[in-house]
Amino acid sequence: MTNTTTARLLLGLLCSPLAFAQNAGRELHSYARHQDTLELRTGDGRYLIKPYSAQVVETTFIPNGEQYDPASHAVVLAPVDVGATLTAGERQISFATPGLTVVVERKPFRISYLYKGKPLVAEKGGYARADKLESIEFALDGDEALYGAGARAAGMNRRGQRFQLYNRADYGYGKRSMLLNYTMPLALSSKKYALHFDNPQVGWLDFDSRRDGTLRYEAIGGRKTYQVVAGDSWADVMANYTALTGRQPLPPRWAFGNFASRFGYRTEQETRAVVERFAQEKIPLDAVVLDLFWFGKEVKGTMGNLAWDRDSFPNAERMMADFRKRGVKTVLITEPFVLTTSQRWGEAVQRQALATDGAGKPATYDFYFGNTGLVDLYRPEGREWFWNIYKELKAGGVAGWWGDLGEPEVHPSWVQHGPDGAKRGADQVHNIYGHDWARLVAEGYRKDFPNERPFILMRAGYSGSQRFGMIPWSGDVGRSWGGLQSQVEIALQMGMQGLAYMHSDLGGFAGPMLDDELYVRWLQYGVFQPIFRPHAQSDVAPEPVFRSERAKVLAREAVWLRYAMLPYNYTLAFDNSQTGMPLMRPILFEEDEATAMATSYLWGRDFLVSPVVEPGATRQEVHFPVKDSVWFDFHTGAQHRGGITEVIKPVDAHIPVYVRAGAFVPMAKVVQSTRDYSARQIDLHYYHHPSVAAGEGRMYDDDGETADAYAKGRYEIVRFASRHAAGRLEISLRTETGKAQSPQERGFALKVHNVAARPRAVTVDGRPVRFGWNGRQGMLEVALAPRRQPAAQVVITL
């Protein structure tokens, strides 16, 4: 970057709304460059500024008298040499990567960030300490929308609110909840940048609650470190943030199927009967989830047993083996609490597996389930003891894990964690407890079961928990319309923050409300959320097989559609593992003006979903994004123009769902479980419109269970492309096969939508072929015979 260019950037910054003095008494005393790190010294401490890439820069402030703490629980990206340049002037210095530029005003001291020459964000009040909290302030533009701070139901644009950073359950919440199980010190801006405050300690994130244009991060102590993440698009921001904190590994394929779950199945006989009922009703099923009755007959007094209650489950291993033969996996709940009345209490104390009090004894206190201790994940004895329990249960046939109460739900500040000489208080580790619990399971699998993908369902975590394969859910939501109304926002926000598998207990969890309309609408929405898992208190059955006949029929249709969508959904999951783009995406990703919209969302790139969240709805507003685009009703084929909002009439059978013109949607035959799933014969839907000159898509496939299958070369990707011009539509397929993969034989039934008149001719690889055309539906069908590594060129003369 030339001195002239830098001068222009600085002049632009001084004239921008971000040009606020931080503190008139602070000034830059000296600076020095140490390889790719810039060190700044002020009267009250020193700053370390370090690029991770051209789009990610980290800034750390170390007050006088404190030592630098390099440990991050969130960051996994290794910094690289990006060729940063240091330019010094009389009033400022700049430290520039090819993307981000850090500008430092000498006096009064101020740090600002530009991205490709445009002002992005700037420290405002800088670092301060007051009222037992340390803070860092940033200046905001007047029209800047803010997102983040973890899982909340507080409105899509969260500016104007102050959020506590303390993971805590909100039992039975509805349309609004300011504090839930999963908080994160992360802010994202409509200007396409993120600020991640790299410190898990308890605190607050203030999104301009005082309406003075200030973003403020506050914590009780710990690192004064943050990363600025920028990008040209939202896809760039997602990619850069998840490169920094880690990407979600691809879950096992069965995780995208249907779950049977409730609080809870009390006996082996009851559990077997439920699984059999799904088969009888022809409702697909891939997993059964056992709540706390698997280790105890009562809700209270038995938590921490973590071993089969042989009175209730006398042949648990045989039961799980029988389920596996039917393609049904078994998932067990576990909690980190060990009650003093549990069978393992003495063992846990002897093994020194528990958190302690100030005297070094196991910390005990009362909560809903009894008098308890807490597994200490911060000492090796606790980790080893806990993992060996998982390892033993897995050897018996358990396929997945549900980690509950992992905030932890009750966690007094006086509780101490870690080995002697390195103790940390509860408030220092509270927000990373669920994160490190997921780490324990993920690392255990990598060590002892390296070829298997773990299934880790948890409701609390921290920035970067996605890299452990954590699948979060939104807690004990009320079984109400308000509870349903909050779920899209929660899932969208968490997807923007890296946790792309946030989902809800379908149908709602808390309360005895029996409302079949609510239940069906929630399941219909669930088809287009990452995990399909009805779950609730047992006073009203959450499983579709026990609902009214009408509700059961509609629920079955939703489950069937979920299974038919497996090729598309599994490809979305693969894309997320490679790029960090969430499965559920806000309209904001397509239209900058949609800063507060959460009534509709994108499922991948090509589906627009508008859940029905009002009882008896007879009208619904649907906004179709992107001017001049075209969207097709997924169920009727009706066309809608992008860039406008329409009022549509919902129907009982499904929620409003639309497909973008130019999209390829691979779909499969419905099976009773993903054990029987096959991608060897696929219905490939292409949504043609004359306005679309070219389209593309792909389908990812592997064995559904091997860990790191893509990296190991055990996969196939079939790529689709379309070109349309002068009355000629060309559709091509080509296959990429991994180096360790044997080519699979695949056939496709190509279904081209919106073909208004019978084509004059259709050829495949230059040879005329027979085809079917349905004039009423405007549907052209062409069979592409099965072959290994399918590649074909279909030419349709319209």
Side-chain angles (χ1 to χ4, degrees):
M1 185 176 292
T2 67
N3 290 338
T4 302
T5 303
T6 302
R8 284 201 210 98
L9 297 184
L10 299 179
L11 179 61
L13 179 62
L14 292 171
C15 296
S16 81
L18 301 181
F20 291 95
Q22 289 182 5
N23 186 321
R26 297 181 85 198
E27 60 182 86
L28 178 64
H29 288 181
S30 66
Y31 66 91
R33 179 171 181 170
H34 309 289
Q35 295 181 331
D36 232 25
T37 298
L38 176 65
E39 181 176 2
L40 310 172
R41 290 194 176 271
T42 62
D44 54 351
R46 62 192 178 105
Y47 285 84
L48 299 178
I49 300 175
K50 175 175 62 178
Y52 280 87
S53 70
Q55 296 82 28
V56 180
V57 170
E58 177 180 279
T59 297
T60 297
F61 178 65
I62 307 153
N64 291 333
E66 293 190 15
Q67 297 296 314
Y68 173 55
D69 178 6
S72 172
H73 299 276
V75 171
V76 293
L77 184 65
V80 297
D81 184 353
V82 295
T85 59
L86 179 62
T87 305
E90 184 178 336
R91 297 175 58 188
Q92 318 96 346
I93 64 172
S94 72
F95 192 48
T97 78
L100 279 166
T101 298
V102 185
V103 178
V104 182
E105 294 288 314
R106 293 176 181 267
K107 183 178 181 180
F109 181 80
R110 180 176 70 241
I111 299 178
S112 305
Y113 301 87
L114 296 83
Y115 182 64
K116 294 188 176 179
K118 295 183 179 180
L120 196 66
V121 68
E123 287 195 10
K124 183 179 182 181
Y127 167 77
R129 185 195 300 265
D131 299 327
K132 299 181 180 180
L133 291 173
E134 298 177 276
S135 66
I136 307 173
E137 290 185 347
F138 292 82
L140 297 170
D141 281 349
D143 58 351
E144 199 169 343
L146 295 177
Y147 314 92
R152 322 270 177 171
M156 192 63 185
N157 179 2
R158 295 177 170 179
R159 186 165 178 175
Q161 302 177 83
R162 186 170 185 252
F163 299 108
Q164 187 177 5
L165 297 173
Y166 188 86
N167 295 348
R168 177 177 290 156
D170 185 359
Y171 177 80
Y173 72 93
K175 187 174 183 178
R176 188 170 178 83
S177 179
M178 290 297 290
L179 183 62
L180 281 169
N181 316 72
Y182 207 123
T183 66
M184 280 198 283
L186 175 65
L188 297 107
S189 165
S190 55
K191 293 173 64 177
K192 299 184 181 67
Y193 72 84
L195 275 170
H196 176 248
F197 300 95
D198 197 354
N199 177 7
Q201 296 198 29
V202 171
W204 297 83
L205 195 51
D206 191 318
F207 283 179
D208 195 24
S209 67
R210 302 175 188 175
R211 306 289 181 178
D212 60 355
T214 304
L215 168 66
R216 181 181 298 103
Y217 169 71
E218 302 166 303
I220 60 172
R223 305 176 83 213
K224 274 64 73 174
T225 296
Y226 63 87
Q227 293 93 25
V228 179
V229 181
D232 296 325
S233 66
W234 279 108
D236 287 344
V237 176
M238 297 297 98
N240 294 331
Y241 173 72
T242 56
L244 179 72
T245 60
R247 298 218 168 107
Q248 180 105 18
L250 188 60
R253 181 153 40 221
W254 62 263
F256 299 94
N258 180 30
F259 289 64
S261 183
R262 68 160 63 183
F263 178 42
Y265 305 124
R266 291 176 175 267
T267 66
E268 179 179 333
Q269 181 181 8
E270 181 186 15
T271 310
R272 285 181 177 273
V274 168
V275 172
E276 178 63 31
R277 186 71 175 267
F278 274 86
Q280 292 172 354
E281 298 285 357
K282 293 183 169 49
I283 297 179
L285 182 67
D286 261 272
V288 61
V289 183
L290 296 180
D291 212 313
L292 47 77
F293 298 112
W294 74 270
F295 56 71
K297 298 178 183 61
E298 303 297 331
V299 171
K300 298 183 179 181
T302 60
M303 188 172 290
N305 284 350
L306 296 175
W308 290 101
D309 182 334
R310 295 298 179 177
D311 292 337
S312 301
F313 293 87
N315 302 295
E317 290 79 10
R318 186 186 306 166
M319 175 190 74
M320 292 188 288
D322 291 343
F323 289 167
R324 284 198 303 275
K325 292 176 183 177
R326 308 180 75 148
V328 177
K329 306 295 191 295
T330 303
V331 178
L332 296 187
I333 195 173
T334 57
E335 302 93 350
F337 295 97
V338 183
L339 300 190
T340 56
T341 54
S342 73
Q343 296 168 5
R344 290 192 188 265
W345 172 254
E347 174 189 322
V349 173
Q350 182 183 12
R351 298 287 183 86
Q352 296 183 307
L354 302 174
T356 58
D357 60 17
K361 297 179 180 179
T364 58
Y365 49 89
D366 293 333
F367 80 141
Y368 175 79
F369 297 94
N371 186 254
T372 193
L374 179 66
V375 175
D376 193 347
L377 298 174
Y378 301 94
R379 57 189 304 153
E381 297 90 344
R383 294 192 297 272
E384 181 182 11
W385 179 80
F386 210 16
W387 170 245
N388 283 336
I389 293 173
Y390 285 110
K391 190 175 177 180
E392 181 181 351
L393 288 166
K394 187 185 182 308
V398 179
W401 309 104
W402 170 13
D404 200 15
L405 313 182
E407 296 77 26
E409 182 161 294
V410 180
H411 199 194
S413 296
W414 53 264
V415 172
Q416 298 288 304
H417 291 272
D420 293 340
K423 291 289 187 184
R424 287 181 282 177
D427 288 347
Q428 294 176 284
V429 302
H430 178 84
N431 288 335
I432 50 171
Y433 191 93
H435 177 82
D436 286 323
W437 187 7
R439 181 203 300 268
L440 172 79
V441 178
E443 291 181 349
Y445 267 74
R446 282 197 289 269
K447 174 178 174 288
D448 294 320
F449 313 106
N451 293 320
E452 297 184 42
R453 305 177 194 175
F455 177 83
I456 307 171
L457 179 70
M458 290 192 176
R459 76 181 193 186
Y462 178 64
S463 312
S465 293
Q466 69 274 359
R467 67 178 180 266
F468 305 128
M470 181 192 284
I471 295 177
W473 88 99
S474 59
D476 294 340
V477 59
R479 202 171 345 204
S480 66
W481 287 96
L484 172 57
Q485 288 161 11
S486 61
Q487 295 310 304
V488 172
E489 176 200 339
I490 292 171
L492 290 177
Q493 291 268 356
M494 287 293 281
M496 293 174 72
Q497 298 172 76
L499 275 294
Y501 287 84
M502 173 57 80
H503 66 288
S504 59
D505 290 343
L506 298 183
F509 174 81
M513 183 177 182
L514 175 59
D515 184 333
D516 280 341
E517 182 189 9
L518 170 66
Y519 176 78
V520 167
R521 290 305 195 193
W522 213 317
L523 266 62
Q524 290 171 342
Y525 155 60
V527 174
F528 302 94
Q529 74 167 16
I531 301 294
F532 192 96
R533 188 182 54 84
H535 176 70
Q537 295 169 328
S538 59
D539 41 15
V540 176
E543 307 92 342
V545 295
F546 299 118
R547 303 298 289 234
S548 69
E549 193 60 32
R550 176 63 175 163
K552 182 166 55 180
V553 168
L554 292 173
R556 183 189 291 118
E557 291 289 339
V559 177
W560 283 353
L561 177 56
R562 175 75 177 186
Y563 277 73
M565 295 274 300
L566 266 170
Y568 181 89
N569 293 349
Y570 197 62
T571 303
L572 279 190
F574 169 71
D575 290 343
N576 168 258
S577 73
Q578 299 300 302
T579 69
M581 276 292 275
L583 287 74
M584 293 175 63
R585 304 170 188 177
I587 303 299
L588 171 70
F589 280 21
E590 296 273 346
E591 292 185 345
D592 289 343
E593 299 80 14
T595 56
M597 185 176 294
T599 53
S600 300
Y601 63 93
L602 296 164
W603 179 242
R605 179 184 180 274
D606 292 322
F607 277 83
L608 175 67
V609 182
S610 184
V612 177
V613 297
E614 299 285 351
T618 58
R619 65 187 304 276
Q620 184 153 324
E621 286 191 356
V622 177
H623 178 72
F624 296 91
V626 187
K627 185 179 179 181
D628 297 329
S629 65
V630 175
W631 297 84
F632 293 97
D633 188 304
F634 182 56
H635 298 281
T636 70
Q639 296 184 35
H640 302 265
R641 284 284 174 184
I644 63 174
T645 300
E646 292 188 32
V647 175
I648 59 95
K649 182 179 180 180
V651 298
D652 292 342
H654 52 78
I655 58 174
V657 178
Y658 306 89
V659 186
R660 188 193 305 263
F664 287 92
V665 180
M667 299 182 71
K669 306 301 181 187
V670 174
V671 290
Q672 187 60 28
S673 87
T674 58
R675 177 201 60 179
D676 302 319
Y677 169 81
S678 173
R680 295 191 175 190
Q681 187 60 50
I682 293 292
D683 289 342
L684 179 59
H685 296 260
Y686 176 68
Y687 289 82
H688 166 67
H689 191 271
S691 64
V692 178
E696 62 180 17
R698 63 178 179 174
M699 183 183 77
Y700 174 84
D701 190 37
D702 59 23
D703 65 8
E705 57 187 28
T706 298
D708 301 318
Y710 179 71
K712 294 173 180 174
R714 298 177 60 177
Y715 70 92
E716 284 193 332
I717 298 175
V718 186
R719 302 184 188 278
F720 317 118
S722 71
R723 288 193 303 168
H724 173 253
R728 176 185 169 102
L729 175 63
E730 298 180 12
I731 294 177
S732 62
L733 291 73
R734 61 183 180 88
T735 302
E736 170 191 324
T737 302
K739 61 184 179 182
Q741 177 71 28
S742 299
Q744 300 294 305
E745 189 175 78
R746 302 182 193 277
F748 291 86
L750 176 63
K751 301 175 184 289
V752 183
H753 295 251
N754 194 39
V755 179
R758 182 180 180 84
R760 290 183 287 166
V762 177
T763 63
V764 176
D765 296 332
R767 293 187 294 271
V769 296
R770 300 179 65 178
F771 61 88
W773 178 71
N774 185 316
R776 184 175 61 84
Q777 296 180 345
M779 175 82 75
L780 168 69
E781 298 192 38
V782 182
L784 303 178
R787 65 174 77 173
R788 292 182 183 274
Q789 293 183 296
Q793 186 82 11
V794 181
V795 177
I796 303 163
T797 304
L798 300 170

